[in-house]
């Protein structure tokens, strides 16, 4: 696969065609914040926190770095007034769901996001999909999925599968940027305890 040269935050970098701006930035040691990205998973582009500004053929636009492929002569800015404003807004919206999530709080500090800007929503899940996709794509277990749509969307463990697969695994727990995942699992094991199920997780 051939390489292309582009510029990120004023530094030149060569990257393989087909790789993303996020990967090219990593090569330079430039950190772009992400919430729904995981190197073992297919690109998703759900949270848009990785938004960066690109200039190509005279025009500028905002793109998701975890999805956008490297291009020859592309000029990328990972921080700009526009980029920071968008990240701040995204964080404020997500903090309405999960105001106590440490990962969001750290990012909020960096981008000056106000966790009280939007009315609080009851769900603690920020719909990054990491748990659902990891369970499906890496573990091939499909023990956790999304239920409902829109604002009512939330994750749920499928009791019959979870009772068989999750007790030994729990690899999705550390992926969750909020506490929603572990809480949902606890609830599932409590509500659907099966005589042959393993015991709920230790607290
Ligand atoms: S439970 Fe956590 S990991 Fe799963 S979708 Fe919600 S925020 Fe993401
Ligand atoms: S990390 Fe790129 S959209 Fe979520």
């Amino acid at each position: 696969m051939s390489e292309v040269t582009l510029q990120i935050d004023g530094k030149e970098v060569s990257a393989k065609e087909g790789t993303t701006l996020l990967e090219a930035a990593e090569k330079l040691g430039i950190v772009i914040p992400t919430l729904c990205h995981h190197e073992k998973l297919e690109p998703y582009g759900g949270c848009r926190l990785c938004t960066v500004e690109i200039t190509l053929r005279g025009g500028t636009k905002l793109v998701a770095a975890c999805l956008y492929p490297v291009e020859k002569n592309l000029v990328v800015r990972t921080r700009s007034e526009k980029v920071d404003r968008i990240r701040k807004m995204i964080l404020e919206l997500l903090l309405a769901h999960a105001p106590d999530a440490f990962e969001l709080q750290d990012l909020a500090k960096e981008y000056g996001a106000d966790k009280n800007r939007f009315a609080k929503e009851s769900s603690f899940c920020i719909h990054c999909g990491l748990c659902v996709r990891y369970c499906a794509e890496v573990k091939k277990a499909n023990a956790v999925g999304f239920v409902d749509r829109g604002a009512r969307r939330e994750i749920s463990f499928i009791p019959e599968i979870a009772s068989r697969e999750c007790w030994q695994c729990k690899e999705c727990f550390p992926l969750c940027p909020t506490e929603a995942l572990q809480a949902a699992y606890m609830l599932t094991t409590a509500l659907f305890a099966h005589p042959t199920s393993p015991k709920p997780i230790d607290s």
Side-chain angles (χ1 to χ4, degrees):
M1 205 178 277
S2 58
E3 299 243 329
V4 294
T5 302
L6 64 157
Q7 199 190 84
I8 304 181
D9 292 347
K11 294 177 192 154
E12 277 210 345
V13 62
S14 294
K16 284 199 179 80
E17 261 181 23
T19 59
T20 63
L21 298 183
L22 184 66
E23 290 167 305
E26 269 166 15
K27 278 180 91 174
L28 288 170
I30 296 170
V31 178
I32 298 173
T34 64
L35 281 171
C36 69
H37 172 78
H38 190 287
E39 63 277 7
K40 287 189 182 167
L41 304 178
E42 289 296 316
Y44 186 60
C47 73
R48 306 318 261 198
L49 195 66
C50 66
T51 295
V52 294
E53 197 169 351
I54 61 167
T55 307
L56 186 66
R57 293 181 279 276
T60 63
K61 63 176 178 173
L62 297 166
V63 298
C66 70
L67 292 179
Y68 202 88
V70 292
E71 275 179 57
K72 192 177 161 199
N73 296 336
L74 202 63
V75 175
V76 182
R77 291 171 77 197
T78 68
R79 297 290 293 256
S80 69
E81 208 186 311
K82 251 192 216 166
V83 166
D84 282 15
R85 206 169 47 234
I86 284 170
R87 289 185 188 158
K88 177 176 180 282
M89 168 79 89
I90 291 169
L91 289 165
E92 285 171 341
L93 288 165
L94 295 178
L95 280 160
H97 289 286
D100 299 323
F102 294 126
E103 198 169 332
L104 294 184
Q105 283 177 2
D106 288 347
L107 286 162
K109 257 186 231 147
E110 187 169 348
Y111 290 93
D114 175 5
K115 74 174 183 177
N116 297 314
R117 174 144 179 226
F118 295 105
K120 298 280 172 292
E121 300 279 346
S122 56
S123 165
F124 284 83
C125 172
I126 57 167
H127 306 147
C128 70
L130 283 174
C131 57
V132 175
R133 292 178 293 128
Y134 188 88
C135 192
E137 292 176 32
V138 178
K139 304 303 292 185
K140 315 277 185 222
N142 297 300
V144 56
F146 280 115
V147 290
D148 275 333
R149 286 172 180 273
R152 291 167 55 89
R153 196 174 195 226
E154 56 182 48
I155 58 134
S156 178
F157 283 87
I158 290 91
E160 296 76 15
I161 306 176
S163 64
R164 204 174 55 233
E165 305 281 347
C166 299
W167 175 242
Q168 301 296 336
C169 174
K170 295 186 248 169
E171 286 173 29
C172 62
F173 282 9
L175 304 182
C176 181
T178 78
E179 294 78 32
L181 184 57
Q182 199 154 341
Y185 180 62
M186 294 286 278
L187 189 66
T188 305
T189 51
L191 288 178
F192 298 95
H194 187 274
T196 58
S197 303
K199 280 192 231 128
I201 58 167
D202 40 352
S203 49

